[in-house]
Amino acid sequence: MPALPTRRRWLRWCLVGAIGLSATAQAAVTTPSTTTQADQAMKQALDAARDRRWNDIDQAAIEGHVLAGYVEYHRLRSRLSTASAAEVNDFVTRYGDSPLSDWMRGAAQTRFGELGRYDDFLAISDGEPSSTIRQCYYYTALLDREPARAAAGGEALWHVGTSQPEACDPLFATLEDRGVLTDEDTWERMMLAWENGQSGLVTYLERGLDDTWQRAINSFDTVRGNYAAVTQVPLDLGPDGQASGALIAAAMHGLIRADTEAALEAWRKISPHVSIGEDRRHQVEHDLAFYSMVRNIDNNQGWVDTTLPRLADADLIELRIRNAVTEGNWANVARWSEALPPEVRAEAHWQYWLGRASEAMGDDAKAHQAYRMAAQNRSFFGFAAADRLGQPYQLEMADTSVSTLQQELTSMLPVVQRTEALMRIDEEGLARSEWFTAAARDTPDQAAALADYAIRQGWYGMAIQTTIAAKQWDALPWRFPAAYRDSFLKWAEVNQVDPYLLMGIARRESAFNPRAASPVGARGLMQLMPGTADHVARELGISAPSTAELFEPQVNIQLGSTYIRSMLERYRGNRIAATAAYNAGPHRVDRWLATAPREFDRFVESIPFRETRDYVQAVLAYRVIFESLAKQGDTRGVAMLSQAERQGDYDPTLIARN
């Protein structure tokens, strides 16, 4: 059938979804009392299903509920040992638009693999699984059916520097018996384990080598205790003389990190003579160049500059430019900017620095051209380039209007109904899974409808994640919603701070998910650590917030805005330094100011932590977007930085107090 026009295709998608709703589900949408009773029964049934209390489930009460599949999921999962592949595939098909489908397939793969039901495993699979343990079962299942694929998959699983699940043991044993995995493979994995600091795995693998490997093991023991002995490694180790390359590459890995200057001296001695393969040689030289530049080893710089064009790695050239910017060596900034791959060189970031270098060297025409290219981009350096040119910022904002009909049809979609129901029974995690599964699979039109719906429901974090999943980078009203605007404006006024800076920080920290929690313990919209929150609360003379209270937007914004105010006071109102301190801590920023370049752009580029460097750029660009959106997308009169922030000195005089 010919492709439908975009709008017709979208309407068809909505109508099919709406028609697919059961009568019970549609009634639940329009009858609040029925919804409440059905949701209560569903919540009780789901809790019972998780605990396998099947007798406590009132099946009649949940029949036809949009979430009935969740109870069915737990029932089927509980009996996967005896369930057939056909039953699993039937479930996967019926719930194909829900994360339940992938979850069931994954659970069944694991159980069928554990039981050695390899025919059934393959019957429910749709290609290589994502998890390692399921990959082990997958390639074991293929050993007799597709031996070449099994061998390739098994070798990939073998050649890692960490222990693999026991599920891989039958696969590895069979491949060893068939001669696919050899002693050379064991030796190479042993070297990978050594690089990775996995001493237990090294010992285990070493025990699997016979006496013909003793000379190689002796050399390994020597280098293991002294990386610099890499220059003494014989070039004919192993039964076939193939073991030397892996040992030398692994020893260089350690020596580069321990003593980069000595590592280059050693590499110069052995490089012309050693045969280690192009991939290993590239990795050694990449690491040498990277650590030489990160550690600013002057004696290595000549080798680095000679080697970079041959390595042709954009990340290394970017680091070289960054170092040249920090040094103020504009000739090198221009030289290495031109060495970037064309698609990277065209980015606003590097066009900006090409413009700065050209301007410093007196080539105003080239500088103007570079700034114009950079200023077309919505980013920190794009906005900085626009400031150089004295022109308004370019937002590149897409139209996000959605018709009333589209909105009504979207509200009737099964994924929306399930998400709404999960929200009503306090299953926010499952609701997010439903939503993001749909957003990742849908067409741009469908994802746009979901993003619009999420915004109208106040699901700001979900709207943002929807645009990310759908790569809707220019849908600014959805990517940067006016979330919790009243609270940000209130506490910005109380603390006399820039409200758009607060919004930018919260957007970067949590993507406006008030329930966000980081692995290290940061909580809420502005990702406050409990210790920081306690300290700020004491300064305010209020009770220290509980962990639960940090997830409350009002509390989190109050404390976060107070903390950023203290950072602004510390750095004389400078938002660049204060934002860096919010991310990395003020003591680090104080140290950076002691040695950093004085200009604002060079200071930002010289921040040694990539996370903080990116963080500062993102937050300040975000604040421009929030302020512009507050003016209906008009950037006239919007300034990313104040005159003092653009022209002031970034040195210890910026520190008002410690």
Side-chain angles (χ1 to χ4, degrees):
M1 184 177 68
L4 293 169
T6 300
R7 180 175 175 80
R8 288 175 58 201
R9 187 167 61 247
W10 189 95
L11 290 172
R12 182 184 181 198
W13 169 77
C14 288
L15 288 168
V16 169
I19 293 169
L21 285 172
S22 68
T24 304
Q26 292 185 48
V29 176
T30 57
T31 312
S33 61
T34 304
T35 298
T36 301
Q37 295 172 5
D39 286 343
Q40 288 175 347
M42 188 66 234
K43 174 65 173 174
Q44 293 169 358
L46 184 54
D47 289 341
R50 285 172 172 148
D51 297 335
R52 299 192 178 190
R53 294 183 282 106
W54 311 119
N55 292 335
D56 293 344
I57 297 175
D58 186 347
Q59 192 64 39
I62 65 170
E63 194 69 33
H65 194 285
V66 291
L67 300 181
Y70 280 84
V71 172
E72 184 181 352
Y73 166 81
H74 286 286
R75 283 189 187 276
L76 180 54
R77 184 173 182 177
S78 72
R79 60 181 187 84
L80 282 173
S81 297
T82 58
S84 67
E87 289 178 279
V88 173
N89 280 333
D90 175 66
F91 182 94
V92 167
T93 299
R94 286 188 290 112
Y95 296 100
D97 67 337
S98 167
L100 290 171
S101 176
D102 289 339
W103 296 342
M104 179 54 68
R105 176 181 280 118
Q109 286 173 329
T110 299
R111 189 63 185 134
F112 290 173
E114 291 170 347
L115 296 172
R117 294 172 52 184
Y118 296 125
D119 288 338
D120 288 338
F121 184 102
L122 293 176
I124 65 169
S125 298
D126 59 350
E128 183 187 67
S130 58
S131 76
T132 299
I133 191 168
R134 292 168 191 159
Q135 289 173 10
C136 295
Y137 291 134
Y138 179 71
Y139 289 113
T140 302
L142 291 177
L143 279 169
D144 295 327
R145 297 161 183 79
E146 298 184 50
R149 283 187 64 198
E155 287 187 288
L157 289 166
W158 175 265
H159 285 279
V160 297
T162 56
S163 296
Q164 294 287 44
E166 290 183 5
C168 280
D169 291 350
L171 173 64
F172 293 156
T174 301
L175 294 178
E176 288 174 358
D177 291 342
R178 294 179 179 179
V180 174
L181 292 178
T182 65
D183 286 348
E184 284 77 9
D185 293 300
T186 298
W187 176 260
E188 290 190 4
R189 188 178 183 194
M190 184 174 152
M191 295 302 100
L192 291 173
W194 180 38
E195 286 184 18
N196 213 34
Q198 299 290 313
S199 57
L201 181 57
V202 169
T203 301
Y204 169 78
L205 292 167
E206 185 177 327
R207 287 199 295 264
L209 297 172
D210 61 28
D211 292 343
T212 61
W213 286 84
Q214 192 57 52
R215 182 165 167 260
I217 291 171
N218 291 341
S219 292
F220 169 60
D221 288 339
T222 299
V223 179
R224 193 177 189 180
N226 177 21
Y227 290 131
V230 66
T231 59
Q232 302 166 25
V233 171
L235 302 182
D236 59 348
L237 295 177
D240 299 320
Q242 300 298 311
S244 300
L247 176 56
I248 289 171
M252 286 301 303
H253 176 90
L255 182 57
I256 289 167
R257 286 153 180 78
D259 188 338
T260 308
E261 190 168 0
L264 180 56
E265 292 179 12
W267 184 244
R268 280 173 162 157
K269 290 179 182 179
I270 64 177
S271 175
H273 314 293
V274 64
S275 176
I276 65 172
E278 286 306 311
D279 287 347
R280 286 198 182 109
R281 182 176 294 274
H282 186 281
Q283 189 60 56
V284 168
E285 295 187 340
H286 177 283
D287 288 356
L288 270 170
F290 176 79
Y291 282 96
S292 295
M293 289 189 285
V294 166
R295 293 171 174 173
N296 295 310
I297 300 174
D298 291 338
N299 288 340
N300 289 14
Q301 194 60 60
W303 177 87
V304 169
D305 285 353
T306 301
T307 305
L308 285 185
R310 176 166 51 79
L311 294 178
D313 280 0
D315 62 330
L316 293 178
I317 297 174
E318 289 174 5
L319 178 56
R320 184 68 182 89
I321 297 170
R322 186 169 291 115
N323 285 352
V325 167
T326 301
E327 297 161 1
N329 188 327
W330 296 114
N332 271 337
V333 172
R335 171 192 172 187
W336 292 109
S337 294
E338 298 290 356
L340 286 168
E343 67 277 7
V344 178
R345 186 168 65 247
E347 294 174 4
H349 190 161
W350 307 115
Q351 282 297 309
Y352 176 84
W353 286 118
L354 179 59
R356 284 279 273 124
S358 301
E359 187 176 18
M361 294 188 296
D363 191 341
D364 291 341
K366 190 171 184 178
H368 188 80
Q369 180 183 18
Y371 287 145
R372 284 189 63 186
M373 282 191 65
Q376 297 172 23
N377 186 260
R378 182 182 60 241
S379 66
F380 178 88
F381 285 107
F383 295 154
D387 286 338
R388 287 266 172 183
L389 296 171
Q391 66 184 41
Y393 304 139
Q394 297 295 314
L395 288 189
E396 303 173 279
M397 184 166 61
D399 179 18
T400 56
S401 59
V402 175
S403 71
T404 302
L405 175 60
Q406 290 172 323
Q407 292 175 347
E408 291 175 353
L409 291 172
T410 300
S411 69
M412 294 187 286
L413 290 172
V415 62
V416 173
Q417 293 298 304
R418 290 193 298 268
T419 302
E420 290 272 16
L422 287 165
M423 288 287 197
R424 291 196 300 269
I425 63 173
D426 297 322
E427 293 286 353
E428 187 172 331
L430 293 179
R432 289 177 177 276
S433 294
E434 281 280 355
W435 200 263
F436 299 151
T437 296
R441 294 175 178 175
D442 284 343
T443 67
D445 289 336
Q446 295 162 1
L450 293 179
D452 171 76
Y453 188 88
I455 289 291
R456 288 186 288 110
Q457 298 301 309
W459 303 340
Y460 303 115
M462 289 170 66
I464 292 167
Q465 294 301 326
T466 300
T467 64
I468 293 172
K471 299 182 180 180
Q472 297 169 318
W473 309 125
D474 296 335
L476 300 190
W478 297 335
R479 291 188 62 211
F480 300 93
Y484 311 102
R485 177 181 174 84
D486 290 345
S487 292
F488 282 117
L489 292 176
K490 171 186 174 181
W491 293 112
E493 183 177 2
V494 169
N495 287 295
Q496 291 299 289
V497 298
D498 175 6
Y500 303 113
L501 178 67
L502 298 182
M503 295 176 190
I505 290 173
R507 173 62 175 79
R508 177 68 176 188
E509 290 283 358
S510 66
F512 289 145
N513 175 11
R515 302 294 303 173
S518 78
V520 297
R523 299 285 187 268
L525 287 172
M526 300 188 73
Q527 286 292 276
L528 292 172
M529 293 294 291
T532 301
D534 290 352
H535 175 74
V536 173
R538 284 196 300 272
E539 287 190 347
L540 291 174
I542 62 177
S543 300
S546 65
T547 299
E549 288 173 326
L550 285 179
F551 291 122
E552 296 177 9
Q554 276 278 0
V555 173
N556 197 279
I557 295 171
Q558 177 189 11
L559 298 176
S561 62
T562 303
Y563 181 67
I564 192 64
R565 181 194 66 190
S566 70
M567 293 299 99
L568 288 164
E569 291 172 349
R570 183 187 187 97
Y571 299 109
R572 304 183 187 279
N574 187 285
R575 290 171 295 182
I576 290 178
T579 301
Y582 194 95
N583 177 261
H587 298 298
R588 288 194 179 98
V589 175
D590 290 355
R591 290 199 300 272
W592 299 339
L593 288 169
T595 58
R598 291 189 173 187
E599 295 106 319
F600 84 90
D601 49 3
R602 293 176 63 212
F603 170 75
V604 171
E605 195 67 77
S606 73
I607 292 174
F609 292 176
R610 179 173 182 172
E611 177 191 340
T612 304
R613 191 167 61 243
D614 292 347
Y615 182 91
V616 169
Q617 294 175 43
V619 167
L620 291 169
Y622 289 176
R623 76 151 306 281
V624 167
I625 295 170
F626 279 116
E627 183 178 359
S628 300
L629 290 176
K631 299 170 59 179
Q632 290 74 50
D634 186 356
T635 65
R636 289 173 298 180
V638 176
M640 180 170 67
L641 302 173
S642 67
Q643 183 175 350
E645 289 167 335
R646 288 197 307 271
Q647 299 179 358
D649 288 338
Y650 286 75
D651 61 18
T653 63
L654 196 61
I655 306 171
R657 62 176 178 82
N658 291 321

